[in-house]
Short mmCIF file of all heavy atoms in Angstrom, two decimals:
data_model
loop_
_atom_site.label_atom_id
_atom_site.label_comp_id
_atom_site.label_asym_id
_atom_site.label_seq_id
_atom_site.Cartn_x
_atom_site.Cartn_y
_atom_site.Cartn_z
N ALA A 17 0.86 -1.20 0.00
CA ALA A 17 0.00 0.00 0.00
C ALA A 17 0.89 1.24 0.00
O ALA A 17 0.93 1.99 0.97
CB ALA A 17 -0.93 -0.01 1.21
N PRO A 18 1.62 1.50 -1.09
CA PRO A 18 2.70 2.49 -1.07
C PRO A 18 2.26 3.93 -0.92
O PRO A 18 3.00 4.75 -0.38
CB PRO A 18 3.39 2.27 -2.42
CG PRO A 18 2.35 1.66 -3.29
CD PRO A 18 1.53 0.81 -2.38
N VAL A 19 1.08 4.28 -1.38
CA VAL A 19 0.63 5.66 -1.27
C VAL A 19 -0.08 5.91 0.05
O VAL A 19 0.20 6.88 0.76
CB VAL A 19 -0.28 6.03 -2.46
CG1 VAL A 19 -0.83 7.45 -2.30
CG2 VAL A 19 0.49 5.92 -3.77
N GLN A 20 -0.99 5.01 0.41
CA GLN A 20 -1.76 5.19 1.63
C GLN A 20 -0.86 5.23 2.86
O GLN A 20 -0.98 6.13 3.71
CB GLN A 20 -2.78 4.05 1.77
CG GLN A 20 -3.58 4.11 3.07
CD GLN A 20 -4.42 2.86 3.29
OE1 GLN A 20 -4.25 1.87 2.59
NE2 GLN A 20 -5.30 2.89 4.27
N LEU A 21 0.04 4.26 2.99
CA LEU A 21 0.88 4.21 4.18
C LEU A 21 1.91 5.32 4.19
O LEU A 21 2.23 5.88 5.24
CB LEU A 21 1.56 2.84 4.29
CG LEU A 21 0.62 1.64 4.40
CD1 LEU A 21 1.41 0.38 4.75
CD2 LEU A 21 -0.48 1.87 5.43
N ASN A 22 2.44 5.67 3.02
CA ASN A 22 3.39 6.79 2.96
C ASN A 22 2.73 8.08 3.43
O ASN A 22 3.34 8.89 4.13
CB ASN A 22 3.91 6.96 1.54
CG ASN A 22 5.02 7.99 1.45
OD1 ASN A 22 6.19 7.70 1.65
ND2 ASN A 22 4.65 9.22 1.13
N SER A 23 1.47 8.28 3.06
CA SER A 23 0.76 9.49 3.48
C SER A 23 0.65 9.57 4.99
O SER A 23 0.73 10.66 5.57
CB SER A 23 -0.64 9.52 2.85
OG SER A 23 -0.55 9.60 1.45
N MET A 24 0.49 8.42 5.64
CA MET A 24 0.42 8.42 7.10
C MET A 24 1.71 8.93 7.72
O MET A 24 1.70 9.58 8.77
CB MET A 24 0.12 7.01 7.61
CG MET A 24 -1.25 6.48 7.23
SD MET A 24 -1.48 4.78 7.85
CE MET A 24 -3.10 4.41 7.17
N LEU A 25 2.85 8.65 7.07
CA LEU A 25 4.14 9.07 7.62
C LEU A 25 4.33 10.57 7.56
O LEU A 25 5.14 11.13 8.31
CB LEU A 25 5.28 8.37 6.88
CG LEU A 25 5.28 6.84 6.93
CD1 LEU A 25 6.53 6.29 6.23
CD2 LEU A 25 5.23 6.33 8.37
N GLY A 26 3.59 11.25 6.68
CA GLY A 26 3.75 12.70 6.55
C GLY A 26 2.74 13.51 7.33
O GLY A 26 2.66 14.74 7.16
N ALA A 27 1.99 12.86 8.21
CA ALA A 27 0.92 13.56 8.92
C ALA A 27 1.40 14.77 9.70
O ALA A 27 0.66 15.75 9.85
CB ALA A 27 0.21 12.58 9.87
N TYR A 28 2.65 14.73 10.21
CA TYR A 28 3.16 15.82 11.06
C TYR A 28 4.37 16.54 10.45
O TYR A 28 5.01 17.33 11.13
CB TYR A 28 3.55 15.26 12.43
CG TYR A 28 2.44 14.50 13.11
CD1 TYR A 28 2.57 13.14 13.39
CD2 TYR A 28 1.26 15.14 13.45
CE1 TYR A 28 1.54 12.44 14.00
CE2 TYR A 28 0.22 14.44 14.06
CZ TYR A 28 0.37 13.09 14.34
OH TYR A 28 -0.65 12.41 14.94
N THR A 29 4.66 16.28 9.17
CA THR A 29 5.87 16.85 8.58
C THR A 29 5.62 17.75 7.38
O THR A 29 6.41 18.65 7.10
CB THR A 29 6.84 15.74 8.14
OG1 THR A 29 6.21 14.93 7.12
CG2 THR A 29 7.25 14.86 9.31
N ASN A 30 4.54 17.52 6.64
CA ASN A 30 4.42 18.13 5.31
C ASN A 30 4.25 19.65 5.32
O ASN A 30 4.55 20.31 4.32
CB ASN A 30 3.21 17.51 4.58
CG ASN A 30 3.47 16.09 4.11
OD1 ASN A 30 4.58 15.59 4.20
ND2 ASN A 30 2.43 15.45 3.61
N PHE A 31 3.76 20.22 6.41
CA PHE A 31 3.45 21.65 6.41
C PHE A 31 4.65 22.55 6.67
O PHE A 31 4.61 23.75 6.40
CB PHE A 31 2.38 21.95 7.47
CG PHE A 31 2.85 21.75 8.90
CD1 PHE A 31 3.51 22.75 9.58
CD2 PHE A 31 2.63 20.54 9.55
CE1 PHE A 31 3.94 22.57 10.89
CE2 PHE A 31 3.05 20.34 10.85
CZ PHE A 31 3.71 21.35 11.52
N VAL A 32 5.75 22.00 7.18
CA VAL A 32 6.81 22.82 7.77
C VAL A 32 7.46 23.76 6.76
O VAL A 32 7.60 24.96 7.01
CB VAL A 32 7.85 21.92 8.46
CG1 VAL A 32 9.04 22.75 8.94
CG2 VAL A 32 7.23 21.17 9.63
N ASN A 33 7.87 23.25 5.61
CA ASN A 33 8.53 24.11 4.63
C ASN A 33 7.56 25.07 3.97
O ASN A 33 7.92 26.22 3.67
CB ASN A 33 9.24 23.26 3.58
CG ASN A 33 10.57 22.74 4.06
OD1 ASN A 33 11.05 23.13 5.13
ND2 ASN A 33 11.19 21.86 3.31
N LEU A 34 6.34 24.62 3.74
CA LEU A 34 5.35 25.51 3.14
C LEU A 34 5.11 26.74 4.01
O LEU A 34 4.87 27.83 3.50
CB LEU A 34 4.03 24.76 2.94
CG LEU A 34 3.98 23.79 1.75
CD1 LEU A 34 2.84 22.81 1.92
CD2 LEU A 34 3.82 24.56 0.45
N LEU A 35 5.18 26.56 5.32
CA LEU A 35 4.93 27.66 6.25
C LEU A 35 6.21 28.32 6.74
O LEU A 35 6.20 29.08 7.71
CB LEU A 35 4.10 27.15 7.43
CG LEU A 35 2.69 26.65 7.07
CD1 LEU A 35 1.97 26.10 8.29
CD2 LEU A 35 1.87 27.77 6.43
N ASP A 36 7.33 28.04 6.07
CA ASP A 36 8.61 28.70 6.33
C ASP A 36 9.06 28.54 7.78
O ASP A 36 9.35 29.50 8.49
CB ASP A 36 8.53 30.18 5.98
CG ASP A 36 9.92 30.81 5.82
OD1 ASP A 36 10.91 30.05 5.71
OD2 ASP A 36 10.01 32.05 5.81
N MET A 37 9.14 27.27 8.21
CA MET A 37 9.56 26.95 9.56
C MET A 37 10.84 26.12 9.53
O MET A 37 11.17 25.48 8.53
CB MET A 37 8.45 26.17 10.30
CG MET A 37 7.15 26.93 10.45
SD MET A 37 5.86 25.90 11.19
CE MET A 37 4.47 27.03 11.19
N ALA A 38 11.56 26.13 10.64
CA ALA A 38 12.70 25.24 10.85
C ALA A 38 12.24 24.10 11.75
O ALA A 38 11.30 24.25 12.52
CB ALA A 38 13.85 26.00 11.50
N ALA A 39 12.92 22.95 11.65
CA ALA A 39 12.50 21.79 12.44
C ALA A 39 13.71 20.94 12.80
O ALA A 39 14.68 20.85 12.04
CB ALA A 39 11.47 20.97 11.68
N LEU A 40 13.61 20.29 13.95
CA LEU A 40 14.66 19.38 14.41
C LEU A 40 14.00 18.14 14.99
O LEU A 40 13.31 18.21 16.02
CB LEU A 40 15.54 20.06 15.46
CG LEU A 40 16.62 19.19 16.12
CD1 LEU A 40 17.57 18.59 15.09
CD2 LEU A 40 17.41 20.00 17.14
N ALA A 41 14.20 17.01 14.32
CA ALA A 41 13.70 15.74 14.82
C ALA A 41 14.73 15.15 15.78
O ALA A 41 15.93 15.19 15.51
CB ALA A 41 13.46 14.78 13.66
N LEU A 42 14.25 14.59 16.88
CA LEU A 42 15.16 13.99 17.86
C LEU A 42 14.55 12.71 18.41
O LEU A 42 13.33 12.55 18.45
CB LEU A 42 15.48 14.97 18.98
CG LEU A 42 14.34 15.48 19.86
CD1 LEU A 42 14.87 15.80 21.26
CD2 LEU A 42 13.74 16.76 19.26
N PRO A 43 15.39 11.76 18.85
CA PRO A 43 14.88 10.50 19.36
C PRO A 43 14.16 10.70 20.68
O PRO A 43 14.57 11.50 21.52
CB PRO A 43 16.15 9.65 19.56
CG PRO A 43 17.25 10.39 18.86
CD PRO A 43 16.86 11.82 18.85
N ALA A 44 13.08 9.94 20.88
CA ALA A 44 12.34 10.03 22.13
C ALA A 44 12.09 8.67 22.76
O ALA A 44 11.73 8.60 23.94
CB ALA A 44 11.00 10.74 21.92
N GLY A 45 12.27 7.59 22.03
CA GLY A 45 12.02 6.28 22.62
C GLY A 45 12.19 5.16 21.61
O GLY A 45 12.36 5.40 20.41
N ILE A 46 12.15 3.94 22.12
CA ILE A 46 12.38 2.74 21.31
C ILE A 46 11.16 1.84 21.41
O ILE A 46 10.72 1.50 22.51
CB ILE A 46 13.63 1.98 21.79
CG1 ILE A 46 14.86 2.90 21.78
CG2 ILE A 46 13.89 0.74 20.93
CD1 ILE A 46 16.09 2.28 22.42
N ARG A 47 10.62 1.45 20.26
CA ARG A 47 9.52 0.48 20.26
C ARG A 47 10.07 -0.91 20.56
O ARG A 47 11.28 -1.16 20.47
CB ARG A 47 8.82 0.47 18.90
CG ARG A 47 8.13 1.78 18.52
CD ARG A 47 7.40 1.63 17.20
NE ARG A 47 6.81 2.89 16.76
CZ ARG A 47 7.45 3.79 16.02
NH1 ARG A 47 8.70 3.56 15.63
NH2 ARG A 47 6.85 4.92 15.65
N ALA A 48 9.15 -1.83 20.87
CA ALA A 48 9.56 -3.20 21.15
C ALA A 48 10.25 -3.85 19.96
O ALA A 48 11.10 -4.73 20.12
CB ALA A 48 8.34 -4.03 21.55
N ASN A 49 9.93 -3.38 18.75
CA ASN A 49 10.58 -3.94 17.56
C ASN A 49 11.91 -3.27 17.23
O ASN A 49 12.48 -3.50 16.17
CB ASN A 49 9.63 -3.87 16.36
CG ASN A 49 9.21 -2.44 16.03
OD1 ASN A 49 9.92 -1.47 16.29
ND2 ASN A 49 8.03 -2.29 15.46
N LYS A 50 12.41 -2.43 18.12
CA LYS A 50 13.71 -1.76 18.05
C LYS A 50 13.74 -0.56 17.10
O LYS A 50 14.79 0.08 16.96
CB LYS A 50 14.83 -2.74 17.70
CG LYS A 50 14.96 -3.87 18.71
CD LYS A 50 16.12 -4.79 18.38
CE LYS A 50 16.22 -5.93 19.39
NZ LYS A 50 17.32 -6.86 19.09
N THR A 51 12.63 -0.25 16.45
CA THR A 51 12.60 0.97 15.64
C THR A 51 12.41 2.17 16.55
O THR A 51 11.96 2.05 17.69
CB THR A 51 11.47 0.91 14.60
OG1 THR A 51 10.20 0.87 15.27
CG2 THR A 51 11.61 -0.31 13.71
N GLY A 52 12.73 3.35 16.03
CA GLY A 52 12.69 4.55 16.85
C GLY A 52 11.39 5.31 16.74
O GLY A 52 10.75 5.34 15.68
N PHE A 53 11.01 5.93 17.83
CA PHE A 53 9.95 6.94 17.83
C PHE A 53 10.60 8.28 18.08
O PHE A 53 11.36 8.44 19.04
CB PHE A 53 8.90 6.66 18.90
CG PHE A 53 7.88 7.77 19.03
CD1 PHE A 53 6.83 7.85 18.14
CD2 PHE A 53 8.01 8.75 20.00
CE1 PHE A 53 5.89 8.87 18.23
CE2 PHE A 53 7.09 9.79 20.11
CZ PHE A 53 6.03 9.85 19.22
N GLY A 54 10.30 9.26 17.23
CA GLY A 54 10.91 10.57 17.38
C GLY A 54 9.88 11.67 17.58
O GLY A 54 8.70 11.52 17.24
N ILE A 55 10.34 12.75 18.13
CA ILE A 55 9.55 13.97 18.27
C ILE A 55 10.26 15.07 17.50
O ILE A 55 11.46 14.98 17.24
CB ILE A 55 9.34 14.37 19.73
CG1 ILE A 55 10.70 14.53 20.44
CG2 ILE A 55 8.48 13.34 20.45
CD1 ILE A 55 10.60 14.98 21.90
N THR A 56 9.52 16.09 17.12
CA THR A 56 10.10 17.18 16.33
C THR A 56 9.78 18.52 16.95
O THR A 56 8.61 18.84 17.20
CB THR A 56 9.58 17.15 14.88
OG1 THR A 56 9.96 15.93 14.26
CG2 THR A 56 10.16 18.30 14.08
N LEU A 57 10.82 19.29 17.21
CA LEU A 57 10.69 20.68 17.63
C LEU A 57 10.65 21.55 16.38
O LEU A 57 11.44 21.36 15.45
CB LEU A 57 11.87 21.08 18.51
CG LEU A 57 11.87 20.51 19.93
CD1 LEU A 57 13.26 20.59 20.54
CD2 LEU A 57 10.86 21.25 20.80
N ILE A 58 9.73 22.51 16.37
CA ILE A 58 9.51 23.35 15.19
C ILE A 58 9.46 24.80 15.63
O ILE A 58 8.86 25.14 16.66
CB ILE A 58 8.20 22.97 14.49
CG1 ILE A 58 8.23 21.50 14.05
CG2 ILE A 58 7.94 23.86 13.28
CD1 ILE A 58 6.89 20.97 13.59
#
């Protein structure tokens, strides 16, 4: 499901450049599957 799931990944990122903002993603935790969960300061 390459379009549907990819769109979910952009739920909190797509607006930043359009609105002329700076952003910094940083690690916040580890899921049980060892992938990272991050938060973004804007």
Side-chain angles (χ1 to χ4, degrees):
V19 176
Q20 177 189 10
L21 299 190
N22 187 86
S23 296
M24 294 179 184
L25 300 184
Y28 305 117
T29 62
N30 287 353
F31 67 86
V32 174
N33 280 352
L34 283 162
L35 296 177
D36 198 15
M37 299 175 182
L40 175 58
L42 61 150
I46 304 172
R47 297 184 184 88
N49 60 28
K50 301 183 181 179
T51 64
F53 173 80
I55 56 178
T56 298
L57 287 162
I58 301 169

